[in-house]
Amino acid sequence: MPLIQDRKTKHYEPHIQIKGETIKVNAGVNKGIYREIIERFVSQLDTALCIHKRLLVLRFDLHLNKYSKDNKVISRFMNRLKQWLNRNYGLQNVGYIWVREQEKSKRQHYHLALMLDENKIRHPKRLNAQIKEMWLPYGHMPTIKKPYFNINTIKANYQTIREDIILRVSYLAKVRGKRYREVQTKDYQTSRLSH
């Protein structure tokens, strides 16, 4: 597996400045994150909050049974998941981020976060079951601790929850595991929500 030249900006501080705001992130002296990935996530989170005012943010991981040199499997999966969310919940503006990682394993895995209208879906139990079932032909979905957040822009604790979400999801931006891929293969993708 080739080790791809790194063109993104590495950040090794526990706080990062994004559009004049100081934000706590999951980084430090020995564990860096990519600035571009976390900036893109924060932008999509804030856009999703402008569109919906209340969000369910769901974090999950997907592991593959076999290696894939491109990201067609995750692209197809995300398209199917968005169609299912539209059919079952009437969700059309689905915010998301996924990152591809591979280190010592012979196959890559993906870390993901969804940003969904909480007025239409308040708890992820049914959604988690659907994701697990849809991903089963490709691999497995491990259980992770504290997989979701509910955030409401009019609640007093809004800023604290937003900070918690960004800190948690900043793990997806970590430097480790991102560069083992083909030259034309992306190591992350986000939604393109706009308001």
Side-chain angles (χ1 to χ4, degrees):
M1 175 59 49
L3 185 63
I4 300 304
Q5 179 62 35
D6 210 350
R7 293 196 178 121
K8 292 186 288 301
T9 309
K10 295 175 185 171
H11 180 84
Y12 289 94
E13 302 286 329
H15 293 87
I16 192 168
Q17 287 280 119
I18 298 176
K19 293 185 179 177
E21 179 185 10
T22 301
I23 300 173
K24 188 173 182 182
V25 290
N26 191 352
V29 176
N30 295 319
K31 59 177 184 176
I33 63 168
Y34 286 116
R35 171 177 276 283
E36 291 81 354
I37 296 175
I38 194 61
E39 283 178 342
R40 191 77 184 125
F41 171 73
V42 170
S43 170
Q44 286 298 283
L45 175 65
D46 289 343
T47 301
L49 285 164
C50 284
I51 294 169
H52 300 300
K53 308 300 180 221
R54 294 170 49 163
L55 288 180
L56 170 72
V57 179
L58 176 64
R59 246 289 284 128
F60 60 100
D61 297 338
L62 298 173
H63 291 247
L64 283 168
N65 288 332
K66 61 182 182 179
Y67 173 76
S68 166
K69 65 181 178 180
D70 56 35
N71 291 314
K72 287 180 183 172
V73 67
I74 196 70
S75 295
R76 281 193 304 265
F77 172 80
M78 287 304 298
N79 286 335
R80 286 183 56 221
L81 181 59
K82 287 187 284 185
Q83 289 169 1
W84 184 87
L85 287 164
N86 190 12
R87 271 194 321 271
N88 289 273
Y89 292 98
L91 291 170
Q92 294 179 353
N93 292 309
V94 175
Y96 68 87
I97 180 172
W98 60 255
V99 298
R100 174 191 174 115
E101 292 184 0
Q102 183 178 358
E103 291 180 74
K104 296 175 182 150
S105 175
K106 291 182 179 170
R107 50 196 183 269
Q108 79 270 25
H109 62 275
Y110 295 94
H111 298 293
L112 300 93
L114 296 176
M115 296 161 273
L116 309 170
D117 182 356
E118 191 191 18
N119 289 321
K120 297 189 177 182
I121 180 168
R122 293 178 187 261
H123 191 277
K125 183 177 180 180
R126 180 177 175 219
L127 176 56
N128 272 332
Q130 182 64 29
I131 291 169
K132 200 173 272 195
E133 183 182 317
M134 286 173 68
W135 188 252
L136 199 56
Y138 311 108
H140 72 282
M141 175 185 168
T143 303
I144 62 172
K145 291 182 182 178
K146 198 172 183 324
Y148 73 97
F149 294 86
N150 298 95
I151 183 169
N152 186 334
T153 58
I154 61 168
K155 293 271 176 108
N157 64 351
Y158 158 74
Q159 194 59 38
T160 302
I161 294 173
R162 180 178 171 274
E163 290 167 5
D164 290 346
I165 291 169
I166 294 169
L167 178 62
R168 181 73 189 275
V169 176
S170 68
Y171 174 79
L172 276 64
K174 72 181 187 295
V175 170
R176 198 180 81 240
K178 296 285 190 306
R179 295 171 56 209
Y180 296 93
R181 57 187 168 82
E182 302 296 322
V183 176
Q184 298 300 318
T185 302
K186 294 179 181 180
D187 54 15
Y188 78 101
Q189 181 78 44
T190 68
S191 51
R192 294 184 178 92
L193 297 177
S194 62
H195 61 92

